[in-house]
Every structure is written in structure tokens, then in C-alpha cells.
């Protein structure tokens, strides 16, 4: 009787293990890139934002999977499939502008310019490093979301986007904060080569003090048309040049 019970328990454990194995979220099976390539609605520059949104959702599925949230991951994959197969994504959602502004505000970083001092005044503070002197080099995921401080160690905001590949070799970090510089139209544009970083890569520093920040122009448009405005970029970049 004991032997039979032992076999039953073993079989039950084995069945549970098999069930859990089959329950793992298989993101590769969703074949998102193939679906995007085969869907005429998603091809072309007019729908590039929809494609970026789909890929962001896929990245979120990877995050859920990495934390063992396989059921949630599968539900998110199902939503991705529905969005691809359904009506144009731009036609979805509500048209309540006030509610849309409220939801968009939830994306804004909460750190504020002029917050408390950091640790640069401590005796054991290590020297800052120029980005082009880092070994190994910086990854974009180390920059996005990182805090940015002024030369006098006051919070300016956080890195929200990065622009590479300009013809004149000037790459940019888009800095936003919940204070004077909020997400989108109130972001500032900082040449990456002007930034320094702490040795633990946790904070970036601008070459200008807090008082000068009020005179820095904000990003003129959210469509990045300013990249083609050489005069605006020269004027903007001058704020971050070393004296």
C-alpha cells in the first residue's frame, strides 16, 4: 500500500512538472517580426509608431517571463496578436483629451530639478569619467532612465531617449524631469560627448551649473525635426561646451 501511494505521489509530482513546463510563455512562438513583415498595415513610415509599440509590448512580455509570470506573459502575447489582426492601432483608444493628458502625466519621471545634493562632496568620491573613456563602453539600457545632475550636483532629470547617427557625428541624450523639464516638449537636448558619468555608471553629469539650466533651450518639437535645424543645434550645443 505504501509503495502504491509512493508511486501515485511521484506520478502526481511528475504531472505537475510537465504542466508547469508546458505553461512557460514561449514568446518566440508569437513570431511578432514575421507578423509585422507580412501585415501591409504595419509596413511603412506612417505606422512606425505602431510597430514600436508592439515591440515594447513584446519586451514587456520578456520581462514578465523572466519573473516567472508565464500566464501574464501569455495574456500579453494574446493582446499583441489581437492588435496585429484587428483594426488599425491608431483608431483604437478613447478620445477624451483630459483623460489622455492625465494618463500621459503618469509617464513623467518624479525626480525634480534642484533636489538634494548627491555625494560628490564626500572625501571618498571617485573622479567622474568621460563617456568615451569608459571600458567597456556604455549600453543604451544603462543610459535610459539614469539620473542626470548639474555640475554642482543638483538633480536635473533623467535620460529619456538617445539619438545616434547624425551626419556631423553629434549624438544626443534627451533629458526630462518632473520639474522644469517634463516629458516631451519640455525636454532638453544634451550632446552625449558633453556628459560625464560616475564610475559605478549610476549618474550622469552636465558640464554646467544649476543656475545656467534656466537658459538652456527646450527641445522645440517632439517629432525631432530639430535634428535638421543646424542653426538650432549649434545654438543649443554651445551651452554644453567647456568654457
Amino acid at each position: 500500500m505504501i509503495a502504491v501511494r509512493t508511486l501515485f505521489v511521484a506520478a502526481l509530482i511528475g504531472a505537475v512538472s510537465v504542466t508547469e513546463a508546458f505553461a512557460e510563455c514561449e514568446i518566440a512562438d508569437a513570431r511578432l517580426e514575421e507578423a509585422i513583415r507580412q501585415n501591409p498595415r504595419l509596413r511603412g513610415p506612417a505606422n512606425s509608431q505602431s510597430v514600436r509599440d508592439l515591440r515594447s509590448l513584446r519586451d514587456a512580455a520578456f520581462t514578465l517571463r523572466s519573473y516567472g509570470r508565464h500566464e501574464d506573459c501569455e495574456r500579453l502575447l494574446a493582446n499583441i496578436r489581437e492588435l496585429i489582426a484587428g483594426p488599425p492601432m491608431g483608431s483604437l483608444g478613447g478620445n477624451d483629451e483630459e483623460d489622455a493628458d492625465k494618463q500621459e502625466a503618469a509617464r513623467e519621471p518624479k525626480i525634480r530639478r534642484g533636489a538634494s545634493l548627491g555625494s560628490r562632496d564626500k572625501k571618498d568620491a571617485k573622479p567622474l569619467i568621460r563617456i568615451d573613456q569608459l571600458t567597456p563602453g556604455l549600453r543604451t539600457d544603462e543610459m535610459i532612465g539614469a539620473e542626470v545632475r548639474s555640475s554642482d550636483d543638483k538633480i536635473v532629470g533623467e535620460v529619456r531617449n538617445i539619438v545616434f547617427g547624425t551626419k556631423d557625428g553629434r549624438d544626443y541624450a534627451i533629458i526630462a524631469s518632473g520639474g522644469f523639464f517634463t516629458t516631451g516638449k519640455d525636454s532638453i537636448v544634451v550632446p552625449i560627448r558633453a556628459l560625464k558619468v560616475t564610475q559605478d555608471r549610476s549618474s550622469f553629469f552636465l558640464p554646467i551649473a544649476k543656475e545656467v539650466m534656466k537658459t538652456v533651450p527646450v527641445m522645440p518639437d517632439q517629432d525631432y525635426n530639430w535634428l535638421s535645424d543646424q542653426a538650432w543645434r549649434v545654438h543649443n550645443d554651445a551651452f554644453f561646451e567647456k568654457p
Side-chain angles (χ1 to χ4, degrees):
M1 185 68 175
I2 294 176
V4 172
R5 185 180 301 161
T6 302
L7 287 172
F8 175 76
V9 171
L12 181 61
I13 292 174
V16 170
S17 299
V18 170
T19 302
E20 289 180 350
F22 279 118
E24 286 194 2
C25 181
E26 297 298 336
I27 299 171
D29 291 346
R31 301 174 67 84
L32 176 60
E33 295 303 323
E34 291 86 343
I36 291 172
R37 188 171 62 249
Q38 295 168 8
N39 191 329
R41 289 191 295 102
L42 297 175
R43 293 200 300 269
N47 293 305
S48 58
Q49 183 59 54
S50 295
V51 171
R52 285 194 294 269
D53 290 341
L54 288 168
R55 287 172 175 153
S56 295
L57 290 172
R58 179 189 56 192
D59 292 343
F62 274 111
T63 301
L64 289 170
R65 188 182 194 280
S66 69
Y67 284 101
R69 303 295 295 269
H70 297 292
E71 291 185 6
D72 294 329
C73 173
E74 283 289 358
R75 279 193 286 269
L76 185 49
L77 287 181
N79 286 326
I80 292 173
R81 295 186 187 99
E82 289 179 6
L83 287 170
I84 292 174
M89 291 172 63
S91 66
L92 303 176
N95 55 8
D96 187 330
E97 293 185 5
E98 183 177 347
D99 181 65
D101 290 341
K102 178 181 178 182
Q103 301 307 319
E104 186 65 24
R107 300 177 62 186
E108 295 181 5
K110 300 307 178 187
I111 53 177
R112 292 189 172 270
R113 196 181 118 196
S116 59
L117 282 171
S119 58
R120 299 308 305 159
D121 59 340
K122 294 184 178 179
K123 291 182 178 179
D124 59 348
K126 297 180 180 179
L128 299 174
I129 305 174
R130 283 199 351 234
I131 288 182
D132 59 2
Q133 294 178 329
L134 286 174
T135 304
L138 272 176
R139 304 188 311 270
T140 55
D141 64 318
E142 291 179 291
M143 296 186 69
I144 299 293
E147 71 173 20
V148 181
R149 290 178 172 269
S150 58
S151 60
D152 49 352
D153 210 4
K154 293 292 184 75
I155 283 285
V156 171
E158 69 179 36
V159 180
R160 270 307 181 90
N161 204 355
I162 301 172
V163 178
F164 290 117
T166 58
K167 289 183 178 180
D168 54 8
R170 287 177 176 260
D171 304 320
Y172 294 97
I174 310 303
I175 311 298
S177 83
F180 290 92
F181 306 130
T182 54
T183 312
K185 64 180 181 179
D186 295 324
S187 302
I188 61 171
V189 179
V190 180
I192 289 180
R193 67 184 184 184
L195 291 171
K196 288 189 175 182
V197 63
T198 54
Q199 295 193 22
D200 64 359
R201 306 184 181 213
S202 62
S203 300
F204 292 89
F205 282 77
L206 299 175
I208 55 179
K210 182 191 70 173
E211 289 76 13
V212 183
M213 294 304 300
K214 295 179 181 179
T215 64
V216 175
V218 297
M219 188 169 72
D221 69 274
Q222 299 181 58
D223 295 322
Y224 291 77
N225 294 320
W226 53 266
L227 281 168
S228 301
D229 189 341
Q230 186 70 15
W232 185 89
R233 289 204 289 136
V234 169
H235 172 71
N236 175 80
D237 295 3
F239 286 87
F240 304 99
E241 299 291 342
K242 291 182 179 180

